[in-house]
Amino acid sequence: MVPHHIMFINRNGLITLMNTQVAQDYQINRNDYIGKHARELLKIKDESIIVLETLKTGEPIVNKEVFDKNYGIMNTHVIRSAEGEIQRVIGIFHFLNVIKSAEKQALAGRIAAGIAHEIRNPLTTVRGFLQLLQPRMDEEISELFSSLLIPEIDRANTIIKDFLQIAKPSDSSLETIEISEFIKNYLGNFLHSEALLHNFDLEFVIDPLAEGKLFVGDKEKLFSVFLNLFQNSKQAMTKGKLSIQILASYANNCLQIFFMDNGPGIPKEIVTHVFDPFFTTKDEGTGLGLSISRKIIENHGGSLTISSIEDGTQFMIELPTVIKKRLTFVSFFVTSV
């Protein structure tokens, strides 16, 4: 369902009614703004407020596109008294951000995938010829081929392969997963061995509300997300002993999985960019790991967010839950561009 704002104003531009979506999005108590002017809520100039435009002209507005921080369609309706005087103006704003974003993503994905394939094909050809020529070259040139040219082509191919996972995700092998089994057994088996090998502390906490909850997912792809988070934590920990805690809780029909470390944290100016493709603070790496991880979670119908806490970094993964009798109707959780 497309989210929408509904607001009523009287002949003086004062708010008389609003729906819960308005209050949620503006993070306000509805009762605090009833009786206040529309500009006090919207925080923009009167001439930019469409319900006030209708109040001034007396003419309803039909399907007007709005382009600002939100993209959508605005409609207004006029309620008049028996004498024809305006009593109320109703403003209804339908958000189309998600639809617009999906359209852009789909187009960008198709273009990016096409470009990536066109680049990879000649690289593969060049690599093949370098391998054929290598035995015919003198020792110095042959060493250059094996130590620099071929590895750089392989690195470029790796970047393209990773990028294609964002642009056009591969098919998923879906199954119904119980949260405790996934975290403590499937994920835990690997991380426990890594904790022993690299000498770091590891703790799993499953909130009682989350116990037994089910979700639909691809175990291997979800595992790769946690592996990437773990590798980031390990690489960021330059001194002291690494400590990782994975906590699962349940709220609003979603599993919330927190991945927390005690590393140095992430500066505020960087946090907003960590999911950007090719953004990295490391000397090595493609900067695609977190972008791919977020895409995997989004393809599971969930979200991946980050916050830099006082003594480390916290990632939160949200995944929608399912119940057994509805397991045959969960295919909509995974989409691709």
Side-chain angles (χ1 to χ4, degrees):
M1 182 178 179
V2 178
H4 58 278
H5 284 171
I6 300 176
M7 185 170 68
F8 287 61
I9 63 171
N10 64 16
R11 69 179 72 181
N12 298 313
L14 305 182
I15 299 170
T16 61
L17 184 69
M18 69 175 74
N19 68 344
T20 55
Q21 188 73 46
V22 175
Q24 288 173 7
D25 290 346
Y26 283 91
Q27 298 182 341
I28 60 167
N29 184 322
R30 282 193 294 178
N31 294 331
D32 292 342
Y33 279 81
I34 300 300
K36 291 187 177 180
H37 198 276
R39 77 172 75 91
E40 294 187 51
L41 171 66
L42 301 177
K43 302 288 193 287
I44 56 178
K45 295 178 180 179
D46 286 11
E47 54 266 29
S48 300
I49 300 175
I50 297 174
V51 285
L52 295 183
E53 180 183 337
T54 292
L55 184 63
K56 181 179 179 180
T57 64
E59 296 295 326
I61 292 172
V62 179
N63 294 336
K64 180 175 182 177
E65 280 191 295
V66 176
F67 297 91
D68 54 23
K69 65 179 181 180
N70 291 309
Y71 168 72
I73 298 295
M74 184 73 182
N75 286 274
T76 62
H77 304 272
V78 180
I79 299 176
R80 298 179 183 273
S81 66
E83 293 75 28
E85 294 182 347
I86 294 177
Q87 297 295 306
R88 296 286 187 272
V89 172
I90 309 170
I92 304 174
F93 178 75
H94 292 273
F95 289 91
L96 298 179
N97 295 38
V98 174
I99 296 173
K100 194 74 172 177
S101 176
E103 290 174 350
K104 287 181 178 179
Q105 235 179 5
L107 178 60
R110 289 194 293 270
I111 293 172
I115 292 173
H117 282 300
E118 290 301 317
I119 294 173
R120 189 159 60 171
N121 289 339
L123 283 178
T124 303
T125 302
V126 171
R127 190 188 193 285
F129 273 107
L130 287 175
Q131 285 183 303
L132 286 173
L133 290 172
Q134 189 174 2
R136 305 177 188 180
M137 299 292 108
D138 59 49
E139 186 175 344
E140 184 177 353
I141 299 298
S142 179
E143 173 63 22
L144 179 66
F145 279 19
S146 60
S147 64
L148 179 63
L149 299 183
I150 292 176
E152 283 300 302
I153 290 175
D154 289 342
R155 181 172 179 273
N157 273 318
T158 298
I159 292 172
I160 292 170
K161 180 183 176 183
D162 288 346
F163 180 67
L164 282 171
Q165 290 190 56
I166 303 174
K168 194 173 181 60
S170 58
D171 293 335
S172 296
S173 177
L174 299 180
E175 58 184 297
T176 303
I177 305 167
E178 195 275 320
I179 186 62
S180 298
E181 189 277 332
F182 174 74
I183 289 180
K184 291 183 176 179
N185 297 330
Y186 190 79
L187 184 62
N189 287 338
F190 170 77
L191 287 181
H192 276 304
S193 62
E194 288 294 303
L196 290 172
L197 181 64
H198 298 286
N199 188 32
F200 67 87
D201 294 328
L202 177 66
E203 182 184 13
F204 296 111
V205 179
I206 309 293
D207 187 278
L209 291 174
E211 286 282 1
K213 292 295 187 292
L214 304 173
F215 65 97
V216 171
D218 183 317
K219 276 187 177 180
E220 290 188 12
K221 283 186 167 56
L222 292 172
F223 176 83
S224 71
V225 171
F226 285 94
L227 178 59
N228 181 256
L229 298 181
F230 162 68
Q231 289 174 337
N232 284 344
S233 294
K234 188 173 67 172
Q235 292 167 2
M237 198 70 181
T238 55
K239 60 181 180 179
K241 187 176 183 180
L242 176 64
S243 177
I244 290 176
Q245 184 184 60
I246 298 177
L247 166 66
S249 62
Y250 176 74
N252 301 320
N253 298 319
C254 285
L255 284 164
Q256 297 178 333
I257 307 171
F258 297 88
F259 185 100
M260 298 169 282
D261 67 33
N262 65 331
I266 301 175
K268 290 181 179 179
E269 62 272 17
I270 292 179
V271 166
T272 55
H273 298 290
V274 296
F275 294 113
D276 294 349
F278 305 109
F279 178 84
T280 181
T281 58
K282 305 170 190 174
D283 294 333
E284 297 182 359
T286 63
L288 288 171
L290 287 176
S291 298
I292 293 171
S293 294
R294 185 171 65 172
K295 190 66 177 177
I296 289 171
I297 298 301
E298 288 176 348
N299 287 340
H300 280 73
S303 63
L304 173 61
T305 55
I306 182 176
S307 57
S308 192
I309 54 182
E310 185 177 344
D311 52 355
T313 301
Q314 172 181 286
F315 287 90
M316 184 180 77
I317 295 170
E318 278 197 316
L319 294 170
T321 56
V322 295
I323 56 178
K324 288 184 179 178
K325 67 180 180 181
R326 294 181 181 172
L327 296 185
T328 56
F329 302 102
V330 295
S331 60
F332 66 89
F333 282 140
V334 178
T335 60
S336 61
V337 293

